[in-house]
Amino acid sequence: MIELLTETAATQEPQRIRGLEMPWNRVMGSTEGPAGAARALGPWHPQEFMAECVETVPEAGGMMTFVFRRCDGAPLAFRAGQYVNIAFPVNGEDQEPVDRSYSLSSSPTEPWTFSVTVKRDAGGLVSPWVHDNVRPGTVLDMLGPVGAFHLPDADRRARYLFLAAGAGITPVMSMLRTIHDLPGTADVVVLYHGAEAGGFAFHKELAYIASVDSRVKVFYALGDRGRPEEWEGFKGRLSAAMIDEVAPDANGRQVYACGPEGYLNTATELLKKVGVDDTSIYMEFFSGDRQTLLEYQAELAHAADIAEEIAEEIADSAEGYYESQPAAFGMYEPGYDEDGTLQASGLPLEAVDPDAPASTEAAAPEAATPDASSFDTVGTGSLTLSFLRTGINVRIDPEEHILEVAQRAGVRIGANCKEGMCGSCKVVKLSGDIDMNHQGGIRKREIDAGKFLPCCSTARTDMVIDA
């Protein structure tokens, strides 16, 4: 009788409600005012907060999970797949912190603690420091949640294909944990590419979820590197045949993919081949590989007065997963008018006589602010942007984003996501007013100090910018 009951239980499928719905969805759609506790669990907007590390968990593949809780006791409300921006005191508590963005790997269904998973990059600035220094009791300044790569708040069909390579499993893990925690029908296929057989992070938990949740199937693949003889997963790089084998109905699924730029570029082309529409594909990019960033660093070196500052920032961002968002830095393209290419004229250099007598003043006089009225003016528009370091005035219309116009005119500003999320284009506004619609890439203290993100800002008045 016991054997019969066991067999019957194993063959019966759970009865579920249709589709998936996030816990906060009905609160957000309520016509009546929800209770304070319910409002606190809705991922309304990014917040600045302090968080304390309460646990560290080593993962395979050189990764480490750091579990945090907010110091104010509030839950962290977020959507599965989003990330937080963290300020790390890499250079000491008395120095300016270094900001990095990391995906949340935990589920928003357990909001009283949250996790980020960091891959160590031996040549990086931040990730080795994080692995070596963040311990239970460490308190860090954070901003979040941010990011548009996440599961929908409600999905009546809930048919997904998750593609992940390397550390790209991190936001996918948050999505998978969320689906596993929620009631409702779903059909989820995970295809996870790794570099070595023992390097798949979360592999024990993935195996457990797949064994107890009939809605989830997990497949593993090793690339072109050496594979052990006993390997039973897929072999080789991502291919259309591989996608067809794990998800022959891929064109009927929502596809979420995360990994290095080359992997995602390949995935984009392959998904088109198997019939997946662009509107069903969602991707989260890493930064470009180190060689790409070093080439960009060399190109920036031509602007001698700003190369060191920007090149170091870009080189740092070559670290592993999410140390900048998303794939490629925007290379400026010169604009054109009826006279040809618009050129930026640099500030004139002044020779200094080393034999000149020292000043008798108590303190050296400050360098004079360049006179913007002497700069060349390019472009058209009703407002003027004066870029002091570059030595150029750029005309702009109020509806145009400052970064795009500046880069066309030859102003070199590092840029990455161009959506106000990563903060890589941050510059100082010396005067003038803007409208900024950022997605968490800048903190209030930075705004108060005069910084802004030109990628998501428009000018309201004439401006003077330190770039």
Side-chain angles (χ1 to χ4, degrees):
M1 178 63 70
I2 294 178
E3 290 182 359
L4 179 60
L5 290 174
T6 302
E7 182 179 351
T8 302
T11 57
Q12 288 182 341
E13 285 290 323
Q15 294 185 347
R16 305 177 185 271
I17 61 172
R18 181 179 178 183
L20 289 178
E21 186 174 24
M22 298 299 150
W24 56 81
N25 189 56
R26 298 196 180 196
V27 175
M28 296 173 69
S30 175
T31 56
E32 300 181 4
R39 286 200 305 272
L41 293 174
W44 312 109
H45 54 78
Q47 304 173 45
E48 294 185 41
F49 58 92
M50 303 298 292
E52 175 191 21
C53 178
V54 296
E55 184 179 8
T56 62
V57 183
E59 308 284 1
M63 299 172 70
M64 180 83 75
T65 292
F66 299 88
V67 184
F68 292 91
R69 65 183 174 193
R70 288 178 58 145
C71 293
D72 58 10
L76 179 64
F78 64 96
R79 292 177 169 89
Q82 290 189 298
Y83 62 91
V84 289
N85 185 274
I86 308 175
F88 295 103
V90 173
N91 301 311
E93 295 292 341
D94 58 339
Q95 299 295 316
E96 188 74 11
V98 180
D99 292 344
R100 289 291 184 268
S101 295
Y102 288 105
S103 268
L104 293 151
S105 53
S106 55
S107 168
T109 58
E110 300 177 3
W112 302 104
T113 60
F114 60 94
S115 302
V116 297
T117 302
V118 180
K119 181 176 177 63
R120 178 191 282 269
D121 176 2
L125 171 67
V126 173
S127 62
W129 186 94
V130 174
H131 276 241
D132 295 340
N133 292 277
V134 177
R135 295 290 181 265
T138 302
V139 175
L140 297 170
D141 181 13
M142 300 191 182
L143 184 151
V146 284
F149 180 78
H150 57 74
L151 291 176
D153 290 332
D155 191 338
R156 295 283 284 173
R157 297 184 71 242
R159 292 171 53 79
Y160 304 121
L161 170 60
F162 295 154
L163 303 177
I169 191 63
T170 308
V172 168
M173 200 66 203
S174 177
M175 296 178 180
L176 195 61
R177 286 168 165 165
T178 301
I179 293 170
H180 178 57
D181 285 348
L182 292 176
T185 56
D187 184 344
V188 182
V189 174
V190 182
L191 178 55
Y192 182 6
H193 263 80
E196 55 184 1
F200 291 92
F202 311 109
H203 63 94
K204 291 183 178 179
E205 185 177 355
L206 286 167
Y208 169 75
I209 292 175
S211 69
V212 300
D213 194 330
S214 60
R215 301 173 295 175
V216 177
K217 296 181 178 64
V218 180
F219 300 90
Y220 299 90
L222 288 177
D224 294 331
R225 301 179 184 178
R227 294 176 292 270
E229 293 183 2
E230 65 274 14
W231 176 253
E232 297 180 352
F234 287 98
K235 302 174 183 178
R237 298 184 179 183
L238 186 66
S239 65
M242 196 179 292
I243 295 174
D244 269 332
E245 188 164 347
V246 301
D249 57 349
N251 62 351
R253 297 175 181 268
Q254 301 292 307
V255 182
Y256 289 83
C258 186
E261 181 180 3
Y263 171 83
L264 293 185
N265 289 339
T266 298
T268 299
E269 296 303 317
L270 295 176
L271 289 169
K272 291 179 181 178
K273 287 183 179 180
V274 298
V276 180
D277 188 81
D278 286 345
T279 59
S280 298
I281 301 173
Y282 308 89
M283 293 195 170
E284 189 83 305
F285 285 80
F286 291 10
S287 61
D289 61 29
R290 183 169 294 274
Q291 182 59 39
T292 299
L293 296 177
L294 289 176
E295 291 173 0
Y296 185 58
Q297 177 181 342
E299 197 270 344
L300 285 177
H302 292 298
D305 57 335
I306 61 172
E308 181 177 354
E309 176 184 348
I310 299 180
E312 286 179 0
E313 184 174 314
I314 292 170
D316 291 345
S317 69
E319 295 179 47
Y321 183 59
Y322 278 149
E323 298 205 359
S324 62
Q325 291 286 115
F329 286 87
M331 301 295 284
Y332 81 95
E333 295 181 3
Y336 300 89
D337 60 15
E338 63 276 8
D339 298 322
T341 306
L342 300 178
Q343 297 289 341
S345 55
L347 296 178
L349 300 178
E350 295 183 4
V352 177
D353 182 359
D355 298 324
S359 172
T360 58
E361 298 289 338
E366 295 184 1
T369 301
D371 181 7
S373 64
S374 65
F375 298 165
D376 288 345
T377 299
V378 299
T380 59
S382 58
L383 301 175
T384 300
L385 309 179
S386 297
F387 293 94
L388 294 190
R389 295 196 189 190
T390 309
I392 191 172
N393 293 323
V394 181
R395 302 290 293 176
I396 188 173
D397 285 323
E399 68 274 8
E400 295 180 287
H401 283 120
I402 293 171
L403 177 66
E404 182 179 352
V405 175
Q407 288 184 327
R408 284 203 310 267
V411 180
R412 296 173 184 261
I413 299 175
N416 196 351
C417 74
K418 298 186 178 181
E419 295 179 358
M421 293 191 291
C422 71
S424 63
C425 65
K426 205 174 297 171
V427 294
V428 175
K429 171 175 63 69
L430 300 176
S431 68
D433 296 325
I434 60 166
D435 285 323
M436 180 166 58
N437 184 25
H438 70 89
Q439 303 296 317
I442 189 169
R443 286 175 163 77
K444 182 178 183 300
R445 58 176 167 78
E446 294 174 312
I447 296 174
D448 292 343
K451 296 182 179 180
F452 77 105
L453 301 178
C455 71
C456 57
S457 299
T458 55
R460 297 172 58 189
T461 66
D462 291 347
M463 296 178 60
V464 178
I465 300 169
D466 186 23

